[in-house]
Amino acid sequence: MTQSLTGKVALVTGGSRGIGAAIVRRLSREGAAVAFTYAASTDRAEALAADLASSGASVAALKADSADPVAVREAVQATVERFGRLDILVNNAGILVSGNVEDIALSDFDRQFAVNIRAVFVAAQEAARHMREGGRIISVGSVGAERSGFPGTTVYSMTKAAVASLTRGLARDLGPRGITVNTIQPGPVASEMSAGMETMLIPLIALGRMGQDTEIAALAAFLSGPEAGFITGAALTADGSYLA
Ligand SMILES: NC(=O)c1ccc[n+]([C@@H]2O[C@H](COP(=O)([O-])OP(=O)(O)OC[C@H]3O[C@@H](n4cnc5c(N)ncnc54)[C@H](OP(=O)(O)O)[C@@H]3O)[C@@H](O)[C@H]2O)c1
């Protein structure tokens, strides 16, 4: 165990399950105090927090719907109030509402934009007010930003392309303050979001398997740490060669 994040404070959005929960566990294992948000999975959020706390970690589960910008802003503020500072923001919360263009409801268009991109902007804006030199903003985008791959993900893919673009702008804005901003673009990862799609997805992946949430968490931990100090404005893909 490297404990490269000892003394750091992190906030992970959407940390109750899936990739977000793996990131919470990994950053905690690296020594960070970790707050995480959730919207619906209260039992799983509380179980994760209790599990980490039982091994001595500093952890806080915060109910905050990413569709609500006030709740997102308050989650950042609550993290700073609870742990005294903020060093790492991981924008992970995301939703996928599939549907071909003829069918997708405007309400699903709006909700995906609210959760997948507006919340990323709001969290980064508030986090930037609290971060010092060495701060890290990491957003979980998707390979969907670069390749649609199959029908039904038009709106979701648009939001993830916007995440990569937002990352580049934020990197320019915050670089002079020594804060790095990056996107992780996972390919297909086994989680509730991808459940039932494995048979369709695996043939599109050169490694012939789904990614694991821990593999995405490892990249998030690296980007959070001191050795990633010159990486900013990047979209880093971990996809088993889905894009290749
Ligand atoms: N799985 C993949 O293949 C894949 C590939 C590329 C990118 N991604 C991206 O990776 C991220 C995590 O995906 P995942 O596969 O782990 O998804 P998941 O299994 O569906 O988990 C989503 C997480 O986000 C939280 N969340 C959803 N809506 C929220 C909201 N409105 N406010 C706050 N939290 C919310 C959920 O918490 P609650 O249950 O409490 O709402 C849960 O913790 C997403 O941004 C996704 O787009 C996933």
Side-chain angles (χ1 to χ4, degrees):
M1 196 179 297
T2 58
Q3 291 275 301
S4 64
L5 302 179
T6 299
K8 303 290 187 188
V9 173
L11 170 63
V12 180
T13 67
S16 51
R17 56 194 171 84
I19 292 169
I23 294 172
V24 169
R25 285 189 182 281
R26 180 63 194 260
L27 298 187
S28 178
R29 186 152 63 87
E30 296 288 344
V34 184
F36 68 90
T37 67
Y38 64 96
S41 304
T42 306
D43 290 351
R44 283 195 272 181
E46 287 175 356
L48 175 59
D51 183 34
L52 293 173
S54 71
S55 53
S58 297
V59 60
L62 309 170
K63 188 169 170 64
D65 185 344
S66 285
D68 175 359
V70 175
V72 172
R73 207 171 289 129
E74 287 177 353
V76 175
Q77 292 163 355
T79 303
V80 175
E81 278 161 29
R82 175 74 179 267
F83 295 120
R85 54 190 281 163
L86 180 64
D87 304 284
I88 302 157
L89 168 67
V90 183
N91 293 300
N92 165 79
I95 52 171
L96 163 60
V97 186
S98 315
N100 276 8
V101 64
E102 301 96 320
D103 308 321
I104 194 144
L106 212 46
S107 56
D108 288 331
F109 181 105
D110 288 342
R111 187 162 175 80
Q112 286 181 92
F113 267 83
V115 174
N116 294 3
I117 181 65
R118 186 178 64 189
V120 175
F121 175 79
V122 171
Q125 185 178 52
E126 186 62 25
R129 296 182 177 130
H130 299 279
M131 279 183 178
R132 313 169 201 177
E133 182 161 1
R136 301 277 192 262
I137 298 176
I138 299 158
S139 300
V140 182
S142 169
V143 286
E146 297 186 24
R147 179 191 182 201
S148 289
F150 47 90
T153 59
T154 305
V155 178
Y156 174 80
S157 296
M158 283 168 64
T159 66
K160 295 302 189 176
V163 168
S165 176
L166 173 62
T167 288
R168 290 189 289 272
L170 292 174
R172 284 286 176 189
D173 284 357
L174 299 175
R177 291 176 47 199
I179 296 169
T180 68
V181 191
N182 292 291
T183 304
I184 294 174
Q185 296 192 159
V189 171
S191 76
E192 283 160 57
M193 183 179 282
S194 61
M197 299 167 71
E198 298 87 345
T199 310
M200 183 269 289
L201 290 168
I202 286 172
L204 305 175
I205 304 167
L207 290 182
R209 66 168 176 87
M210 301 290 284
Q212 299 300 308
D213 52 19
T214 50
E215 293 172 313
I216 306 306
L219 182 51
F222 173 72
L223 288 172
S224 299
E227 291 186 293
F230 200 55
I231 303 173
T232 192
L236 297 159
T237 294
D239 72 342
S241 270
Y242 171 88
L243 286 183

